[in-house]
Amino acid sequence: MTDTTVATTETLRARTRAALDRIGVVLPEGAGLHARTPITGDDLFPLRASNRVDVETAITDAAQAFRTWRTTPAPVRGELVRTFGELLRTHKTDLADLITVEAGKIGSEALGEVQEMIDICDFAVGQSRQLYGRTIASERPGHRLAETWHPLGVVGVISAFNFPAAVWSWNTALALVCGDTVVWKPSELTPLISLAAAHLLDRAVAATGAPDGVHRLLLADRDAGERLVEDPRVALVSATGSTRMGREVAPRVAARFGRCLLELGGNNAAIVAPSADLDLALQAVVFSAAGTAGQRCTTLRRLIVHHDIADRLLSKLGAAYRKLPVGDPFLDTTLVGPLISATAAKRMREALEQAKAEGGKVLAGGSEVDTGTNGAYLTPAIVAMPGQTAIVREETFAPILFVLTYRTFEEALALHNDVPQGLSSSIFTRDQQEAERFVAADGSDCGIANVNIGTSGAEIGGAFGGEKETGGGRESGSDAWRGYMRRVTTTVNYSAELTLAQNVSFL
Ligand code: UN1
């Protein structure tokens, strides 16, 4: 049950200091930025923000380091990432503590985020020996046609508060083995975990003798992000955040013919069919919708449930929601921590008001939990909606689960796809035909389509990302590494004749 006792800011400051000391981070003293914690809503430490000169120097250093890094053999580049992964293992709980302090994640989810970092390092080390090109059958005698993958350049990573370290590590681990160098601009809300992760990578750089400029960290406001977007030396901009942010970034990178990898908003849905195992569906729905206090881009935001089982599922769901312990994420009993800020809480309250005005009925949650601090704690909400109204079609980055009912599979699928975003999706069914139709070409239009598992919590081995307003990017596993390289097509003529393709004759 909810325990409203929250650690004091002083205790959190001491815990943070201890974790930073064990990792070896020296805080950049100065002004311009504040590390803060959503647990009490208070500031922890003043920090020196990077200025324009720092941004310029970071890009110059990374561009310089690229010149040697790109010719370092890929398996040797893998050594850097392997060493980094080992340091992540050593400091797993310290890093998780910092994630809890700054992003408000509960212990198990914070540890899970660090595990994603470790996993992507392992994946990238293996990948460093598998940057495979191919040989293609040439139509000409005595010719060889081949494709090779080469390093791309400087990668600018712009990341969000909700996965403050893992998303950077997905990009960085792959970019580094691919021979690229990285300049990172994290969220201003999570400078400490950024400093810690970057410091561990610095230590791995020093231990393996990699060039110093292979990565740089910028603790700065959006101006620094804009400079990464504008600078022609930044070959790829990998940006995670809102669709609004993506709309600003994409055309500016395109205008200079740079590459973009976008991970933007989601409005993820699950269809629960009449044949579903309701207990399994229930567990998956609660984790996906209320986990991380609804602040994952993969959070379940829409539940599309068959009319015949709606009452049964909703009464189980309501009961589970009413028991969800909300509070200090450092308490072992807590499952739902704070929202990131008072602004996020205000947006949640406004979204609930709008939902009610659009005919919605709040079935559970949506109320404040008073902890006597400045932290923003709200109980996750379930709202029954009469249809897919304006607020349901928007991504509100908070734990609100909208419920819609359906009678035919076609109706469910149409509702499912009728939103502007396309990140993650799932269906709960024991009907194999229905499951296959959901993941088929005319089924879910998302980048992730799951069966009998929730929308959030993807493994790193698959490609991660989505379609439509989610931005189309793919990160982490599968062949996402190709996004960090440039492809070269080579035709070698080893005959003594000059044969032109397409039977063209000349001279
Ligand atoms: C994000 O919310 O930005 O699938 C990333 C998941 C995590 C990654 C989420 N592995 O929920």
Side-chain angles (χ1 to χ4, degrees):
M1 286 276 48
T2 290
D3 178 342
T4 54
T5 337
V6 165
T8 63
T9 302
E10 215 32 71
T11 317
L12 293 170
R13 207 175 270 132
R15 188 163 184 162
T16 304
R17 260 286 178 223
L20 291 168
D21 286 348
R22 282 190 294 269
I23 293 168
V25 177
V26 178
L27 293 180
E29 280 180 26
L33 205 65
H34 273 280
R36 65 178 285 281
T37 178
I39 300 176
T40 57
D42 292 339
D43 285 348
L44 295 173
F45 308 107
L47 297 171
R48 178 186 168 288
S50 314
N51 57 31
R52 282 187 164 233
V53 177
D54 298 324
V55 179
E56 175 59 29
T57 311
I59 300 174
T60 305
D61 290 351
Q64 187 65 36
F66 175 67
R67 303 184 71 78
T68 41
W69 193 236
R70 66 182 167 181
T71 53
T72 304
V76 176
R77 300 194 296 243
E79 275 296 295
L80 167 62
V81 174
R82 190 175 62 73
T83 309
F84 177 51
E86 281 165 7
L87 288 167
L88 293 175
R89 282 184 169 85
T90 307
H91 290 286
K92 188 173 181 187
T93 52
D94 295 329
L95 293 163
D97 270 9
L98 296 175
I99 292 172
T100 299
V101 164
E102 285 194 305
K105 288 190 191 188
I106 61 168
S108 133
E109 291 198 53
L111 286 166
E113 174 160 2
V114 185
Q115 187 60 48
E116 276 200 39
M117 302 173 77
I118 294 168
D119 292 345
I120 194 69
C121 286
D122 286 356
F123 182 94
V125 175
Q127 191 66 62
S128 73
R129 290 183 183 268
Q130 301 174 82
L131 302 176
Y132 298 142
R134 55 180 132 204
T135 303
I136 299 160
S138 169
E139 66 191 49
R140 288 174 276 194
H143 283 61
R144 184 168 63 82
L145 186 52
E147 194 169 85
T148 315
W149 293 88
H150 287 319
L152 186 64
V154 178
V155 177
V157 177
I158 299 173
S159 61
F161 80 85
N162 68 323
F163 269 79
V167 169
W168 163 77
S169 72
W170 298 348
N171 283 282
T172 301
L174 284 180
L176 289 175
V177 299
C178 289
D180 300 333
T181 56
V182 179
V183 180
W184 180 22
K185 196 259 174 245
S187 161
E188 290 154 80
L189 298 170
T190 53
L192 300 179
I193 179 67
S194 312
L195 282 163
H199 180 71
L200 291 177
L201 184 51
D202 281 341
R203 283 173 54 187
V205 167
T208 55
D212 165 71
V214 289
H215 85 105
R216 284 289 181 262
L217 166 67
L218 298 170
L219 295 185
D221 58 13
R222 61 176 273 157
D223 192 48
E226 286 182 12
R227 301 191 79 74
L228 291 178
V229 165
E230 299 289 351
D231 198 309
R233 292 171 297 173
V234 180
L236 169 69
V237 176
S238 175
T240 302
S242 65
T243 296
R244 193 165 48 83
M245 181 270 284
R247 262 191 231 292
E248 287 180 31
V249 167
R252 290 164 68 184
V253 177
R256 62 172 176 84
F257 298 102
R259 271 196 217 172
C260 247
L261 197 171
L262 298 174
E263 298 289 351
L264 311 175
N267 193 351
N268 318 299
I271 296 174
V272 186
S275 68
D277 175 334
L278 284 195
D279 289 328
L280 181 142
L282 179 77
Q283 281 180 46
V285 166
V286 177
F287 170 65
S288 282
T292 333
Q295 300 172 112
R296 288 193 190 217
C297 53
T298 50
T299 290
L300 177 63
R301 309 205 179 277
R302 299 177 296 137
L303 188 65
I304 303 170
V305 53
H306 193 275
H307 185 268
D308 291 352
I309 51 159
D311 286 347
R312 218 156 21 112
L313 181 63
L314 290 178
S315 84
K316 281 172 186 266
L317 200 57
Y321 261 56
R322 278 182 275 278
K323 278 197 293 216
L324 277 177
V326 179
D328 184 340
F330 273 123
L331 291 178
D332 287 342
T333 46
T334 297
L335 290 179
V336 180
L339 290 182
I340 191 67
S341 63
T343 314
K346 180 166 167 276
R347 289 208 186 106
M348 176 166 172
R349 284 191 296 268
E350 284 169 358
L352 289 172
E353 285 313 310
Q354 188 179 335
K356 283 190 247 172
E358 290 173 2
K361 193 168 170 286
V362 178
L363 304 180
S367 51
E368 314 274 339
V369 176
D370 185 7
T371 59
T373 70
N374 297 319
Y377 294 84
L378 275 109
T379 55
I382 307 172
V383 187
M385 295 301 292
Q388 198 142 258
T389 63
I391 193 67
V392 183
R393 292 165 51 81
E394 257 177 51
E395 180 192 47
T396 303
F397 220 59
I400 303 177
L401 180 63
F402 292 119
V403 182
L404 304 165
T405 56
Y406 76 93
R407 285 182 195 273
T408 65
F409 177 76
E410 287 68 25
E411 193 192 336
L413 192 59
L415 273 173
H416 178 277
N417 288 346
D418 187 23
V419 291
Q421 312 83 351
L423 179 56
S424 185
S425 61
S426 60
I427 188 165
F428 291 87
T429 183
R430 283 164 164 151
D431 178 334
Q432 193 190 0
Q433 228 172 32
E434 220 170 41
E436 290 293 339
R437 284 178 71 191
F438 184 71
V439 299
D442 55 353
S444 161
D445 61 5
C446 293
I448 299 171
N450 294 336
V451 177
N452 292 329
I453 194 149
T455 53
S456 65
E459 303 172 19
I460 61 94
F464 182 90
E467 305 301 335
K468 303 195 289 186
E469 288 190 1
T470 303
R474 291 295 185 278
E475 285 176 342
S476 110
S478 183
D479 63 353
W481 62 272
R482 293 182 177 193
Y484 301 83
M485 303 200 84
R486 65 184 174 90
R487 184 196 314 241
V488 177
T489 303
T490 304
T491 309
V492 177
N493 175 9
Y494 57 91
S495 75
E497 312 283 322
L498 186 74
T499 314
L500 299 181
Q502 299 91 36
N503 301 321
V504 172
S505 58
F506 200 83
L507 286 182

